[in-house]
Amino acid sequence: MTPVELSRTVLRAVRRAVDGGELDVDVPGRVRVGPPGPGGCGDYATGIALQLARPAGQPPYRVAEVLRAHLTGADGIADVVLTGPGFLNISLHRAAPAELVADVLRRGPRYGHVVPEDGEGARRPVGLRCEHHPRALVVADAAARILRSQGTLARVSCTTPPPPEWAVALGVRVDVDAGRPAPDEPPVDIRPVPAPGDPLPLGRDAGRWALLHPAAHDRPRIGDEHLVQRESNPLFRVRYAHARTRALARNAADLGFAAEPGPVEHPDTHGMCALLADHPRVLAAAAAHHAPDRLARHLVTVADAVLPFLPAVLPRGGEKPSAAHRARLALAEAAGTVLAGGLTLLGIDAPDHL
């Protein structure tokens, strides 16, 4: 369950409480969920009970008790604990590895993206306003892509129109002129530390990675280290891991078998599945904080987890393809799918051959 799906589940609980006469409030348009605060527990927490207490004319803890009754037993929710004045702390069911892998493969590169439900109100557009230097524009462009993946309309403006060569070399686009902001867009200023050198000679993929991988408050390195095909280069590891998963799929086809999700017995399975399951949360956090560096670092972690696993995917020696090999291939393909989808959101190519 993604944070957006959990938010919708809590919102449905509020609606049921209102429809049942337990709460006399206007149903909010959205419920905010996030990591539990100090003293909290579980996977996510929400303060919706505190928000509804005054209009409901009830203590926050009582409102939380009402909502807990409607959340307990809901699909995907394992437990709901009340803490503090009325915070709902929610623990989620863990999907079995095979179910998780099947979900990733079914959704493809759009795994972790948010699809608005029927009747769900459109989210307020977000305007990203960046300073006139390449890093600010690239960060704003990537942040806008991630916001769109989460169902939010995002537009990019720049204090001064960027030169055309930036768009060509770095694949950036300005949607709105600074002097004519789109209506109803709350401007969000994107102000990362400028790059110390010119990233354009690195090309689109390496240039964007060099500007996006460090946190906004860190000064990026602009050098040939982003072009070398070595393990010391994080971008190379991410793209190489993706290309290896695609090569495994081709090799498996030559051997007459394909991916099929199932149980995988391997020391790296638990860590890989945890990272794949965390991908929707990473996308949601990167969108909320306008921080594409969170996604970039997550992709490096996924790549570093999957690379040691890949040699175990195909049959060795005289082995014949079995259900175990099909399940391992499915897990590898799921990891490759997450890497490809993440790179695409960063505006970076994910080649099948490297």
Side-chain angles (χ1 to χ4, degrees):
M1 179 181 289
T2 68
V4 172
E5 290 169 340
L6 177 59
S7 174
R8 292 169 177 168
T9 299
V10 177
L11 189 59
R12 285 192 288 269
V14 174
R15 289 197 182 103
R16 287 196 294 270
V18 171
D19 293 342
E22 298 169 279
L23 295 177
D24 183 14
V25 297
D26 293 330
V27 178
R30 189 175 309 129
V31 173
R32 184 182 297 276
V33 299
C41 58
D43 298 299
Y44 294 97
T46 177
I48 184 63
L50 283 71
Q51 176 185 336
L52 298 178
R54 177 171 291 182
Q58 300 186 41
Y61 202 88
R62 173 55 189 157
V63 175
E65 288 179 325
V66 170
L67 296 179
R68 178 173 61 179
H70 289 282
L71 287 170
T72 301
D75 288 345
I77 293 181
D79 192 22
V80 182
V81 175
L82 304 187
T83 59
F87 290 104
L88 291 154
N89 297 263
I90 302 170
S91 298
L92 304 180
H93 281 300
R94 303 299 179 197
E99 296 175 0
L100 171 65
V101 169
D103 186 37
V104 176
L105 295 180
R106 181 175 63 254
R107 300 192 189 193
R110 295 181 64 82
Y111 169 66
H113 290 211
V114 173
V115 179
E117 291 184 333
D118 292 339
E120 188 174 43
R123 298 189 179 188
R124 188 178 183 185
V126 174
L128 303 178
R129 183 172 57 197
C130 64
E131 298 175 326
H132 188 259
H133 59 83
R135 190 185 187 200
L137 192 54
V138 168
V139 170
D141 178 80
R145 293 168 185 255
I146 297 171
L147 280 165
R148 293 176 192 128
S149 79
Q150 300 303 293
T152 298
L153 175 63
R155 299 175 180 173
V156 177
S157 65
C158 191
T159 54
T160 304
E165 56 266 28
W166 290 8
V168 174
L170 297 174
V172 293
R173 185 185 72 180
V174 173
D175 301 294
V176 183
D177 292 337
R180 296 186 296 103
D184 300 326
E185 285 193 4
V188 176
D189 288 323
I190 304 297
R191 295 177 177 175
V193 174
D198 183 6
L200 272 62
L202 294 176
R204 172 171 175 164
D205 292 335
R208 288 182 71 97
W209 181 268
L211 300 174
L212 293 173
H213 182 242
H217 58 267
D218 292 332
R219 188 173 297 278
R221 295 182 178 180
I222 305 298
D224 293 342
E225 65 268 23
H226 299 291
L227 298 173
V228 297
Q229 297 195 20
R230 298 175 186 162
E231 290 186 0
S232 60
N233 179 2
L235 174 60
F236 170 74
R237 296 204 304 275
V238 171
R239 300 175 84 186
Y240 177 68
H242 168 261
R244 287 278 289 121
T245 65
R246 302 305 304 142
L248 288 172
R250 295 191 298 269
N251 293 338
D254 292 340
L255 294 174
F257 75 99
E260 183 177 328
V264 177
E265 294 184 5
H266 191 277
D268 297 327
T269 300
H270 178 75
M272 289 176 57
C273 288
L275 290 170
L276 299 185
D278 200 37
H279 185 64
R281 185 199 63 79
V282 171
L283 291 183
H289 297 279
H290 314 115
D293 59 283
R294 297 188 179 208
L295 174 57
R297 292 194 297 273
H298 175 66
L299 297 182
V300 175
T301 305
V302 172
D304 289 344
V306 72
L307 281 170
F309 169 77
L310 298 182
V313 171
L314 297 180
R316 296 180 179 180
E319 282 185 312
K320 292 184 182 276
S322 65
H325 294 109
R326 292 191 289 271
R328 291 175 200 157
L329 179 62
L331 179 55
E333 288 192 7
T337 297
V338 165
L339 294 174
L343 285 172
T344 299
L345 287 177
L346 295 178
I348 297 172
D349 186 34
D352 287 353
H353 302 268
L354 196 61

